Amino acid sequence: MQPLEGKKIVLGISGGIAAYKCAELTRRLSERGAQVKVVMTKAAKEFITPLTMQAVSGQPVSESLLDPAAEASMGHIEIAKWADLVLLAPATADLIARMAAGMGNDLLTTVVLATDAPVAVAPAMNQQMYKNVATQENIATLQRRGMTIWGPASGEQACGDIGAGRMLEPMQLVERCIAQCQPKLLQGKKIVITAGPTQEAIDPVRFISNHSSGKMGYALAEQAAKLGAEVTLISGPVNLATPINVTRINVSSAEQMHQAAMEKAPLSDVFIGCAAVADYRPTEVADQKMKKVDGSDEIVVRMVKNPDIIAGVANLTQRRPFTVGFAAETQDVEKYALDKLSRKKLDLICANDVSQAGIGFNSNDNALNLYWPNGHKNFPLASKQALAQSVLEQINELTQ
């Protein structure tokens, strides 16, 4: 069976020089079993003809928003409902800007607005246009709305410039289409993830916390959702946007996070404790702001242990999920990780050395050592997004 057998792909072509590659792209998609319908903008026809695209796709090419031959003259709705995937290649700066603005002033943009299929965008433009702040903000807007950005690649451009802005090659786009259309790795799984720090109040204006940015937990939530999981993110106070298709529960203190975790964990298949939870909280929280006391250079704040969230989940006797912990250490990483794995009865622990520069708290990168009973795997320095994918793949393997 072909990898794209029966898949319906709408290829949206806008007016860039890379449009000439779309004949090969269409042929390669068809070879792998896909049905391809081509939608072209007016500018796209200046680079490659509709007759060429009709010949390689075996389907009539759609060009006009107001097509009297379309069913009830609603061609954009027909095409939008037909698609399993909409691939915009090449996606020029103009097309990206119009989509970011929510415009529907031609057939292609109305198809994008009307479809509930995934939309993949393959940018192609001059390197300076790609770097322009407006283009970058428009791409970020599309990503926030759930569109997938494929590329661009870097290299020599038709204008003679060198830099980022080249459309990915046809086979690279075909490979991404295949990956997009495959069954999701975590489809049907329910995953609960804790992320960020907790804040333990001393008085109405002061609290005890830590340096956790929440980036690792949010990366896990984002990647898990992309892999098809139903994700609940229990988050301490962070300055991060909620990932697409993720349900977020905001908490402040460790006690609040514990309550949310113990409520959601029994309803999940996997629980990942990625939050940096404060071990202790003040025994008493002052009703008013604590003032300096004349003649005293010290203040005593009595502390009490917070509930151990990850151990509480791991020790559930009914509906216990596969339980994953994190260990941020500054020394003897393996020793402390293995001790925590055993002592808290975890299924998997992800440990890192936060004393190393450039990884851990507030960084976009990390390096992890994964330990489970009778197993170990090392993931060297990489982006937190890439590591999140690797961790989730390992969890999937261990839960089969």
Side-chain angles (χ1 to χ4, degrees), residues 11 13 22-23 26 38 40 48-57 61:
L11 175 59
I13 308 174
C22 289
T26 301
V38 176
M40 301 180 70
I48 190 167
T49 68
L51 184 60
T52 297
M53 296 311 303
Q54 179 173 315
V56 294
S57 70
V61 172

Side-chain angles (χ1 to χ4, degrees), residues 137-152:
E137 289 182 352
N138 289 335
I139 289 173
T141 296
L142 299 185
Q143 287 179 302
R144 285 196 300 273
R145 293 175 185 166
M147 294 186 191
T148 303
I149 309 300
W150 290 345

Side-chain angles (χ1 to χ4, degrees), residues 315-370:
N315 282 277
L316 286 171
T317 56
Q318 294 183 334
R319 303 184 70 178
R320 177 192 182 277
F322 184 88
T323 307
V324 182
F326 270 71
E329 304 293 349
T330 58
Q331 60 180 336
D332 295 331
V333 174
E334 181 175 359
K335 173 185 173 183
Y336 288 120
L338 289 173
D339 174 69
K340 187 173 181 179
L341 176 75
S342 173
R343 179 167 42 85
K344 298 196 177 185
K345 301 180 182 178
L346 306 180
D347 299 299
L348 174 69
I349 192 161
C350 309
N352 66 334
D353 185 349
V354 293
S355 68
Q356 294 184 35
I359 70 170
F361 291 144
N362 291 306
S363 172
N364 292 321
D365 301 322
N366 207 349
L368 290 173
N369 281 279
L370 272 57

Side-chain angles (χ1 to χ4, degrees), residues 2 33 35 55 97 102 111 180 204 305 312 315 337 351 358 370 376:
Q2 295 291 337
Q35 299 177 54
V111 167
Q180 176 70 39
K305 268 189 178 180
N315 282 277
L370 272 57
H376 167 247

Side-chain angles (χ1 to χ4, degrees), residues 76-290:
H76 60 295
I77 303 298
E78 294 174 46
I79 296 168
K81 288 182 176 179
W82 178 85
D84 293 317
L85 171 67
V86 177
L87 170 59
L88 307 175
T92 61
D94 174 74
L95 176 62
I96 289 169
R98 289 189 289 124
M99 290 193 298
M103 296 177 68
N105 59 342
D106 64 5
L107 179 58
L108 185 51
T109 51
T110 54
V111 167
V112 172
L113 287 175
T115 191
D116 62 359
V119 178
V121 182
M125 65 198 73
N126 168 268
Q127 55 88 24
Q128 194 60 48
M129 295 173 69
Y130 177 69
K131 290 192 298 186
N132 188 282
V133 173
T135 302
Q136 290 300 308
E137 289 182 352
N138 289 335
I139 289 173
T141 296
L142 299 185
Q143 287 179 302
R144 285 196 300 273
R145 293 175 185 166
M147 294 186 191
T148 303
I149 309 300
W150 290 345
S154 294
E156 186 174 352
Q157 300 183 313
C159 61
D161 284 2
I162 296 175
R166 288 173 57 93
M167 187 177 85
L168 295 182
E169 294 302 315
M171 281 309 300
Q172 291 177 305
L173 292 174
V174 170
E175 289 166 2
R176 283 164 172 75
C177 288
I178 292 172
Q180 176 70 39
C181 292
Q182 293 301 308
K184 301 296 186 182
L185 188 69
L186 299 175
Q187 195 73 46
K189 296 275 190 181
K190 294 182 178 181
I191 299 181
V192 175
I193 302 170
T194 65
T198 62
Q199 295 179 350
E200 311 304 324
I202 297 174
D203 62 24
V205 298
R206 299 182 181 92
F207 57 80
I208 297 169
S209 191
N210 56 61
H211 294 295
S212 174
S213 64
K215 290 180 180 178
M216 190 69 233
Y218 273 65
L220 285 163
E222 180 178 348
Q223 293 303 314
K226 287 181 178 179
L227 291 172
E230 180 183 325
V231 183
T232 299
L233 178 63
I234 303 172
S235 177
V238 296
N239 187 29
L240 296 171
T242 306
I244 298 291
N245 297 324
V246 170
T247 300
R248 177 171 167 177
I249 300 172
N250 291 321
V251 298
S252 293
S253 69
E255 287 186 302
Q256 291 171 350
M257 185 172 284
H258 178 259
Q259 181 178 348
M262 297 310 292
E263 177 184 334
K264 298 297 182 181
L267 307 177
S268 67
D269 300 299
V270 178
F271 181 91
I272 305 176
C274 192
V277 183
D279 293 325
Y280 295 87
R281 69 182 185 276
T283 305
E284 296 182 359
V285 180
D287 293 332
Q288 303 295 329
K289 178 182 176 182
M290 297 172 67

Side-chain angles (χ1 to χ4, degrees), residues 13-16 19 40-51 61-64:
I13 308 174
S14 60
M40 301 180 70
T41 66
K42 182 178 180 180
K45 295 187 290 181
E46 300 295 325
F47 294 92
I48 190 167
T49 68
L51 184 60
V61 172
S62 301
E63 312 167 33
S64 173

